Amino acid sequence: MRLSDERKKLLWGAAKTFREEFEGSPAEEYLVGHRCLDQETAERFSLGYVGDSAPSGFEQYRGTIAVPYLRRGALGDWSVVALRFRCVRPECVRDETGAFLDEETHTGHGKMQSMAGDTHRIYNTLALQQESDEIAVCEGEPDTWTAAMCGLPAVGIQGVKGWKSHFDKLFVGYRRVWVLADGDEAGREFAETVAHRLPSGLVVPFGAGLDVNKTYKHHGREAVLNKVGKA
């Protein structure tokens, strides 16, 4: 879907506002303190926080991490083609003592939210522009951040229904496409569906109850890289 100039301007301005509110916010505390994301990676992906000064039209996303879908044109110009939002509201991610929950409780909404009318897109297409004969495909944005932080070129897909047939062509020519599978039934379904479409696709299963981020958090960078034979 081609975006109008007005839509691009709206998304760019909102992403800039949210990024400026990230430092010292609940989003930074959640990502850096709880999910073990480093500051460099948060800045690299221009992650932000939707706080009290949310622009008109974004008020419903207060209390979330703002996740811009960045694109860089052939002439080096940057744009934001979509914004998604990851809930970090205290009633959803913390217990009664204020500690972060391992199993979050999002009632009436999902962990991730898209704007009305948005379409499924590949997250972090910049990885497709890197000079590499291997690439990782993750389920969701947080695992993409973690894989990239570990040094893997990685893109994110919004679940098994987020894959579109024209995505196949983007992965032609890679020697290996690592499809990183969360350690649950939905994760395996996602990975097997994607890998089946790609001649060089290979499912990389994580342990039961684990994903890329949880593996990094509990076992470190080498544990993630071991999965793709890089450590």
Side-chain angles (χ1 to χ4, degrees):
M1 181 178 68
R2 186 176 179 84
L3 298 181
S4 67
D5 290 342
E6 187 61 30
R7 180 76 168 184
K8 289 181 180 178
K9 182 179 179 181
L10 172 71
L11 294 174
W12 181 266
K16 183 176 183 293
T17 296
F18 301 146
R19 182 175 181 176
E20 290 171 350
E21 295 191 6
F22 182 79
E23 185 176 355
S25 73
E28 181 182 46
E29 184 181 2
Y30 177 84
L31 290 176
V32 178
H34 176 53
R35 301 296 289 267
C36 298
L37 202 70
D38 61 33
Q39 292 283 0
E40 181 181 351
T41 302
E43 292 175 5
R44 172 181 173 184
F45 287 95
S46 294
L47 302 179
Y49 178 67
V50 187
D52 292 337
S53 60
S56 178
F58 292 91
E59 297 92 344
Q60 67 268 40
Y61 303 115
R62 285 181 179 137
T64 67
I65 302 165
V67 183
Y69 275 53
L70 300 169
R71 296 291 188 266
R72 185 171 60 194
L75 300 178
D77 52 316
W78 290 88
S79 63
V80 175
V81 297
L83 274 169
R84 298 190 78 216
F85 304 91
R86 207 291 182 184
C87 178
V88 289
R89 299 179 184 106
E91 64 270 23
C92 297
V93 302
R94 296 178 185 266
D95 64 19
E96 62 276 5
T97 71
F100 285 111
L101 295 163
D102 288 328
E103 297 297 327
E104 299 173 5
T105 55
H106 298 270
T107 303
H109 61 271
K111 293 180 182 179
M112 295 294 303
Q113 301 168 54
S114 298
M115 296 178 66
D118 199 7
T119 186
H120 291 296
R121 303 177 187 272
I122 293 177
Y123 181 63
N124 193 34
T125 56
L126 296 177
L128 296 167
Q129 299 173 321
Q130 293 181 232
E131 293 185 8
S132 176
D133 63 354
E134 297 179 343
I135 194 166
V137 177
C138 303
E139 184 177 5
E141 297 89 344
D143 277 355
T144 307
W145 306 330
T146 306
M149 186 170 60
C150 291
L152 296 175
V155 298
I157 303 295
Q158 298 170 24
V160 66
K161 295 182 179 178
W163 189 271
K164 295 183 176 182
S165 59
H166 65 266
F167 292 172
D168 297 0
K169 298 178 181 178
L170 297 173
F171 298 89
V172 172
Y174 282 100
R175 183 181 67 83
R176 180 65 66 208
V177 180
W178 307 106
V179 187
L180 308 184
D182 293 357
D184 55 24
E185 184 176 348
R188 289 189 293 273
E189 180 188 1
F190 165 79
E192 290 170 4
T193 299
V194 172
H196 179 73
R197 302 185 65 93
L198 307 176
S200 56
L202 184 69
V203 174
V204 179
F206 283 75
L210 294 175
D211 56 20
V212 182
N213 180 259
K214 288 179 180 178
T215 299
Y216 175 84
K217 178 178 178 179
H218 295 294
H219 304 291
R221 182 174 184 268
E222 284 195 2
V224 175
L225 295 178
N226 269 329
K227 288 289 185 178
V228 295
K230 296 295 183 182

